Amino acid sequence: MSERGPSPRVPFASETMESIQRAFRMAGDRRHDTVGLEHLLLALTEEPGARGLLTALGVPMEVLASELEGVLEEAFSRVPSSRRVEPEPTLGFDRVIQHAVVHAASSSARHVDSGALLVFILQEPESHAAFFLRGHGVDRLRLLRVISHGAAEPAPTSGDADHGDAPATTRDPLEAFATDLVAKAAAGGVDP
């Protein structure tokens, strides 16, 4: 692999690996000698999976991208054009990747995805990336809920008559995933 990044043996989803590589390319294109969480978060905003999670949390993507671009311009120094640029990951970047890999290995996850990277970015208190996410109302618990359960559905309005009872059923997890054995027995559906 010509670009720096996690080893291919690490269980990364293909789009997540592409985002990590994109972060390294962004740093190289800007002639930054380090790849920070801001590069990573900006790369993740271009990935459909991460973009969907952030949008579900109400993050204005264009504003977030603009904030990240500003930090990349102001906080990262450019390497002189006479020198070759091979960006190295920051300690925060390495920690996020390592935590995501360890989490995937110790859980039932088949691979590291962008949601895991976003969760661990939030745990880096000294990063602008985490600061911007929190500034847009993203916290660990809300993010984990969206990763686990998807975006919350809007409340039905009087104009939603064409949806029938289906939305109410999908909103109540007990009704959606459990069987009412008492009602089933009363209807004669349980073998004594």
Side-chain angles (χ1 to χ4, degrees), residues 31-192:
R31 303 202 53 76
H32 296 159
D33 59 354
T34 58
V35 181
L37 293 176
E38 296 73 23
H39 295 97
L40 179 58
L41 183 56
L42 185 59
L44 287 171
T45 63
E46 296 177 16
E47 179 193 314
R51 192 173 184 85
L53 291 172
L54 294 171
T55 301
L57 289 164
V59 176
M61 298 307 291
E62 291 73 25
V63 174
L64 177 61
S66 175
E67 291 168 339
L68 290 166
E69 290 283 356
V71 165
L72 292 177
E73 189 66 33
E74 301 278 325
F76 287 82
S77 57
R78 297 174 73 84
V79 173
S81 60
S82 60
R83 289 183 35 211
R84 186 170 178 224
V85 178
E86 288 191 35
E88 295 287 329
T90 63
L91 290 175
F93 188 100
D94 275 344
R95 268 192 308 268
V96 165
I97 299 296
Q98 289 172 358
H99 287 309
V101 169
V102 168
H103 177 265
S106 64
S107 70
S108 62
R110 290 177 291 166
H111 54 261
V112 176
D113 61 16
S114 56
L117 294 181
L118 290 170
V119 168
F120 291 109
I121 286 172
L122 282 170
Q123 293 181 339
E124 288 294 319
E126 300 297 317
S127 89
H128 286 95
F131 174 79
F132 292 140
L133 287 174
R134 285 191 295 271
H136 290 294
V138 178
D139 64 31
R140 188 172 189 267
L141 184 58
R142 287 186 65 219
L143 179 57
L144 289 172
R145 280 186 189 145
V146 170
I147 291 169
S148 298
H149 305 293
E153 294 184 40
T157 61
S158 58
D160 286 344
D162 59 322
H163 289 95
D165 291 335
T169 309
T170 57
R171 256 186 243 109
D172 183 5
L174 188 58
E175 288 180 22
F177 298 107
T179 302
D180 185 350
L181 291 176
V182 174
K184 191 173 181 178
V190 176
D191 185 10

